[in-house]
Amino acid sequence: MSSIAVPRPLAPRRAWLTDLPVLLVAVVWGASYLAAKDITTARTVLTVLVLRFAVVLPVLAVVARRSLRALTGARWRGAALLGLILGGIFLLETYGVVHTSATNAGLIISLTMIFTPLAEAAVTRVRPPRAFLAAAGLSVLGVVLLTQGGGFTRPSLGDLLMLLAALARTVHVLAMSRIKAVRGADALSLTTVQLGAAVAVFAVLSVGADATPWDTAAGFGVREWARLLFLSVCCTLFAFFVQMWAVRRTSPSRVSLLLGTEPLWAAAAGIALGGERLGALGVAGGALVLVGTAWGRRAAG
């Protein structure tokens, strides 16, 4: 793996100039669940996903054309495999948000921050700190309360799909660190190949479906196109380039901490813009998820 220079500490004003765009990424990611829910039905999940990524993929391909030519065959295959996993993540997340609230979706997916260190510990056979295990337990309890806002009933299909999406994100993170072929490769080219593979999966699965991408696009009005472009340009293109820009100017841990506020913004968007309500149990559960993931991230250190 190529060595990465540790950025020097930034002056307070310069730090804020770097932090604000990263925080904006967390905001748009949080709002993405509500935007996806507004323009997607169970019938159009695949076609919306094709449209969402087909909009930005040509831009990424043009920007990354030189680094794409430099990829070896092994790196192409490794990135394509990661793209298949990524496609599964987006399928689970998008089907999940159709069947649950945007607030629940954003909070449940944040469990990735707990699942990833646990999975890493299982692979490396290194027992995580007790504080981390306690934080994990707190987060799981929070999810149970969050999904039972109307009384203790079976979790919705969407809640379960978002839980699977969090597990799939964990698999993706572990695969990125374990596939030797992609280590040290250019991030832009690898991301472009991954998104291309994911779009190919969506396109193949949408063949023969009731709705085609063209039918869905033709049925969109101004409101739907605005949300689709928000998902494509802000939540994908803008977010990716800000992350690449920020990690070169500040520490990865600082970027991770700021991006970790995503579930807060998901809840804020769902409640303020989507008219969603959590109820007393849901509020308590959401708070436990946020506290547990923040504590767990710190304990995993």
Side-chain angles (χ1 to χ4, degrees):
M1 184 177 294
S2 60
S3 59
I4 300 174
V6 178
R8 295 179 181 178
L10 297 175
R13 183 173 178 178
R14 287 190 62 198
W16 270 109
L17 290 175
T18 303
D19 289 349
L20 284 176
V22 178
L23 189 61
L24 186 56
V25 170
V27 173
V28 298
W29 275 356
S32 69
Y33 299 101
L34 184 61
K37 188 174 182 67
D38 281 349
I39 65 171
T40 312
T41 65
R43 181 172 169 266
T44 62
V45 166
L46 289 168
T47 58
V48 168
L49 285 172
V50 170
L51 292 171
R52 172 180 175 177
F53 293 105
V55 169
V56 297
L57 193 58
V59 178
L60 287 174
V62 169
V63 175
R65 61 189 183 280
R66 290 183 180 177
S67 54
L68 284 170
R69 287 196 294 265
L71 288 180
T72 63
R75 282 180 172 171
W76 273 97
R77 290 189 293 273
L81 176 58
L82 290 173
L84 295 179
I85 301 172
L86 189 65
I89 293 170
F90 280 114
L91 285 170
L92 288 168
E93 286 183 358
T94 311
Y95 275 113
V97 80
V98 167
H99 295 289
T100 190
S101 68
T103 303
N104 277 25
L107 290 167
I108 293 173
I109 203 68
S110 69
L111 287 177
T112 303
M113 289 182 282
I114 293 295
F115 292 157
T116 302
L118 285 175
E120 185 68 26
V123 170
T124 60
R125 298 184 180 180
V126 176
R127 183 182 176 85
R130 290 184 179 180
F132 178 83
L133 294 176
L138 194 67
S139 296
V140 171
L141 175 61
V143 169
V144 172
L145 294 177
L146 176 68
T147 58
Q148 304 303 318
F152 283 93
T153 58
R154 294 174 60 184
S156 71
L157 172 62
D159 294 334
L160 294 175
L161 289 173
M162 293 308 300
L163 192 60
L164 289 175
L167 291 169
R169 279 195 184 189
T170 298
V171 172
H172 187 254
V173 171
L174 289 180
M176 282 194 293
S177 66
R178 295 274 165 180
I179 297 177
K180 294 180 180 180
V182 301
R183 293 179 185 175
D186 176 72
L188 177 58
S189 58
L190 289 181
T191 300
T192 304
V193 175
Q194 285 186 70
L195 288 181
V199 170
V201 170
F202 306 146
V204 168
L205 291 177
S206 66
V207 172
D210 294 338
T212 68
W214 329 118
D215 293 335
T216 301
F220 277 178
V222 174
R223 175 189 173 107
E224 289 78 14
W225 272 109
R227 280 159 175 71
L228 180 68
L229 290 174
F230 170 75
L231 290 170
S232 299
V233 177
C234 296
C235 302
T236 306
L237 198 61
F238 167 76
F240 172 70
F241 281 110
V242 165
Q243 286 181 86
M244 285 208 309
W245 170 82
V247 294
R248 287 164 172 77
R249 288 163 175 79
T250 185
S251 67
S253 59
R254 191 178 182 94
V255 172
S256 176
L257 182 64
L258 291 166
L259 293 180
T261 63
E262 176 190 344
L264 283 173
W265 304 112
I271 293 170
L273 302 177
E276 298 174 355
R277 294 292 179 267
L278 285 177
L281 284 177
V283 170
L288 288 179
V289 170
L290 294 173
V291 171
T293 51
W295 182 20
R297 191 165 57 245
R298 218 173 275 119

